[in-house]
Amino acid sequence: MDQLTALVSKANGFIWGLYCLIPLLCGTGLYFTLRLKFVQIRKFGQAWKQVFGGLTLFGERAGKEGMSSFQALATAIAAQVGTGNLAGAATAIAMGGPGAIFWMWIAAFFGMGTIFAEAVLAQTYKGKDDLGNVVGGPAYYITEGLHCRPMAIFFSIAIIIALGFIGNMVQSNSIADAFSNAFGTNRLIVGCVIGAISAYVFFGGIGRIASLTEKIVPIMAGLYILGGLYILVRFGARIPHMFWMIIDGAFDPKAATGGLIGATIKEAVRYGVARGLFSNEAGMGSTPHAHAVAKVKHPAEQGLAAIMGVFIDTFIVLNMTAFVIFVTGVLDGKTSGISLTQNAFKVGLGGWGLSFVAICMLFFAFSTIIGWYFFGEQNIKYLFGNKGLTPYRLIVVAFVVVGSVLKLDLVWELSDFFNGIMVFPNLIALIGLAKVVSKALDDFDNDGKLKA
């Protein structure tokens, strides 16, 4: 087992390293940013209106025709905002120094271009399953756009394993960890409760999923942001120094921390970009499944909504974790991951800091379970049709329960591995169908000019 773990870990080091996915994902983002003439800047105002103009916690119930644009975005954000925002950001800082956050910003900025393309293609090539329900995602645009079913099948299998099965084990493990540390709760009991609630949502179909995510996402994000803002106000005098640490650390990590971390520029870039991309999922091929089922008049409209997903995930929620860690002064070069985040909130909020993080972890990780389940469901339909849904739902629930009590490094490594390999077919499709994305944006721009 240890040898297998070491082997997969070594493979992940390459896949998520400076010579594989990091340049591929960032390069794709740069390509679409330039090709689409900085759509994330030009259209940011429209993107904001697209999302917050239709924000409601009680939207129309989703059905065969899909869900509202906001519900689709909420489902995407439910998956994006997860343990990576609490533990991933802390890990990046601990391993790459404060400058890792700067490189997270760079990756997210270019990732907005990538995720716009993903959402547009998901809308353009969406279809219907054997019961008339709207479906879509990379497997569909790979099949219909590139006409390469074998590559689509590979993607579907990889994402089902990466997110639906192994990924959701990791999420339930994180919830059980947080509650065990904060309240001493039995891990199996936590797993069974999360599994039961998950089953209720899964078997309720798209209507129940959309209804849950449109409520839980604004509430969980708002709760976390308020807690973080309170700490930032309390330690406001340290904010200028915090930004100095981030900027200086991006180009001279040792100077920013006095050698405390011992990170190099290479490590700052590697951990910042890798953790940032893993958090916002731009280019990974996951969130297009949610954007495909949005009921919008033009594919570019959901592309704009997708841009806001990356903005909210990285520039608001993930930044809040990083900022709290910096201003509370808990960065010691020894603590990493969720423990570092817990220490920061304990300093900032006092005795109930651990409980606050545990509750946020419950919201973040559970919402990710729902989002990742839905992404896997779309691919189960692609491979097996609706007859595969019941077995898939039961297996995911079992993985959620089992994941809460397991503490296997191999599970975490396998999650990273399958997350990595599913990116390749998606990026091939994005580049291969770039003309479709450009044409959609041009059409959207021209239509707006005609209406004006």
Side-chain angles (χ1 to χ4, degrees):
M1 185 72 75
D2 290 340
Q3 289 181 330
L4 180 58
T5 302
L7 181 64
V8 178
S9 177
K10 188 175 181 179
N12 286 336
F14 172 75
I15 291 173
W16 286 100
L18 286 173
Y19 304 105
C20 192
L21 281 185
I22 287 179
L24 285 175
L25 284 165
C26 289
T28 302
L30 175 60
Y31 172 71
F32 277 107
T33 295
L34 296 175
R35 179 159 189 150
L36 303 176
K37 301 172 185 176
F38 290 85
V39 64
Q40 61 269 63
I41 296 177
R42 290 193 298 117
K43 299 290 185 180
F44 187 82
Q46 276 185 269
W48 184 276
K49 291 179 182 177
Q50 174 71 21
V51 172
F52 295 103
L55 190 152
T56 174
L57 301 185
F58 302 95
E60 181 182 348
R61 185 172 178 81
K64 283 190 173 184
E65 297 303 315
M67 56 180 76
S68 70
S69 178
F70 176 73
Q71 288 170 337
L73 176 64
T75 303
I77 293 177
Q80 291 169 297
V81 177
T83 56
N85 295 79
L86 292 173
T91 298
I93 295 168
M95 303 301 291
I101 298 303
F102 175 84
W103 297 111
M104 277 187 181
W105 296 343
I106 299 298
F109 176 76
F110 290 125
M112 290 178 177
T114 306
I115 211 161
F116 176 88
E118 289 182 293
V120 167
L121 291 177
Q123 274 287 317
T124 302
Y125 293 102
K126 65 183 178 181
K128 293 196 173 184
D129 63 17
D130 48 1
L131 296 179
N133 299 296
V134 173
V135 290
Y140 296 87
Y141 56 70
I142 291 172
T143 301
E144 300 299 326
L146 290 187
H147 307 290
C148 186
R149 182 166 167 78
M151 191 163 73
I153 291 173
F154 174 84
F155 173 85
S156 288
I157 293 172
I159 195 171
I160 290 168
I161 295 173
L163 304 187
F165 297 157
I166 299 176
N168 279 334
M169 289 181 76
V170 171
Q171 298 301 323
S172 64
N173 188 278
S174 298
I175 296 173
D177 258 353
F179 270 73
S180 177
N181 294 336
F183 309 112
T185 312
N186 183 284
R187 298 170 64 92
L188 181 59
I189 292 176
V190 174
C192 289
V193 171
I194 297 300
I197 299 173
S198 298
Y200 172 76
V201 177
F202 297 165
F203 282 91
I206 189 174
R208 196 167 290 166
I209 291 171
S211 179
L212 176 73
T213 57
E214 73 176 349
K215 296 175 180 63
I216 195 173
V217 167
I219 291 172
M220 74 178 189
L223 174 68
Y224 192 66
I225 291 167
L226 286 175
L229 285 175
Y230 170 79
I231 296 173
L232 291 182
V233 170
R234 185 181 172 195
F235 293 87
R238 299 181 184 179
I239 291 178
H241 179 68
M242 172 191 77
F243 281 109
W244 175 87
M245 288 177 66
I246 293 172
I247 302 301
D248 195 50
F251 305 99
D252 190 0
K254 292 181 181 179
T257 60
L260 184 68
I261 303 298
T264 63
I265 294 177
K266 180 180 177 180
E267 288 168 327
V269 174
R270 177 191 170 188
Y271 287 103
V273 174
R275 288 294 111 187
L277 290 170
F278 194 83
S279 174
N280 63 53
E281 302 185 26
M284 290 178 63
S286 51
T287 59
H289 299 94
H291 296 302
V293 299
K295 294 184 285 188
V296 291
K297 295 178 181 179
H298 194 285
E301 290 181 356
Q302 197 57 27
L304 297 179
I307 285 175
M308 290 305 301
V310 173
F311 179 79
I312 292 168
D313 172 85
T314 303
F315 290 103
I316 297 180
V317 181
L318 191 145
N319 266 354
M320 193 60 68
T321 300
F323 292 171
V324 168
I325 288 173
F326 291 137
V327 300
T328 52
V330 296
L331 191 60
D332 58 9
K334 300 175 183 178
T335 312
S336 181
I338 191 63
S339 296
L340 182 57
T341 304
Q342 287 176 322
N343 287 348
F345 276 90
K346 188 175 181 180
V347 170
L349 298 178
W352 55 285
L354 289 179
S355 301
F356 179 82
V357 173
I359 293 170
C360 288
M361 180 64 81
L362 170 63
F363 276 113
F364 284 20
F366 178 68
S367 69
T368 299
I369 289 173
I370 302 305
W372 282 1
Y373 158 80
F374 179 72
F375 300 162
E377 177 187 274
Q378 297 291 82
N379 288 277
I380 288 290
K381 288 183 178 182
Y382 176 81
L383 294 173
F384 309 108
N386 281 279
K387 63 180 181 292
L389 289 185
T390 298
Y392 170 67
R393 288 165 175 166
L394 293 174
I395 293 172
V396 174
V397 171
F399 271 75
V400 167
V401 175
V402 172
S404 66
V405 295
L406 287 183
K407 193 63 177 178
L408 295 178
D409 291 337
L410 179 60
V411 174
W412 291 75
E413 293 293 346
L414 285 173
S415 177
D416 280 353
F417 177 76
F418 282 103
N419 264 293
I421 64 173
M422 78 186 198
V423 175
F424 296 106
N426 185 55
L427 292 185
I428 292 171
L430 291 178
I431 298 300
L433 298 171
K435 286 184 179 179
V436 177
V437 179
S438 298
K439 185 177 179 181
L441 182 57
D442 288 342
D443 178 69
F444 183 70
D445 285 340
N446 291 333
D447 185 53
K449 290 174 184 176
L450 289 173
K451 287 181 179 178

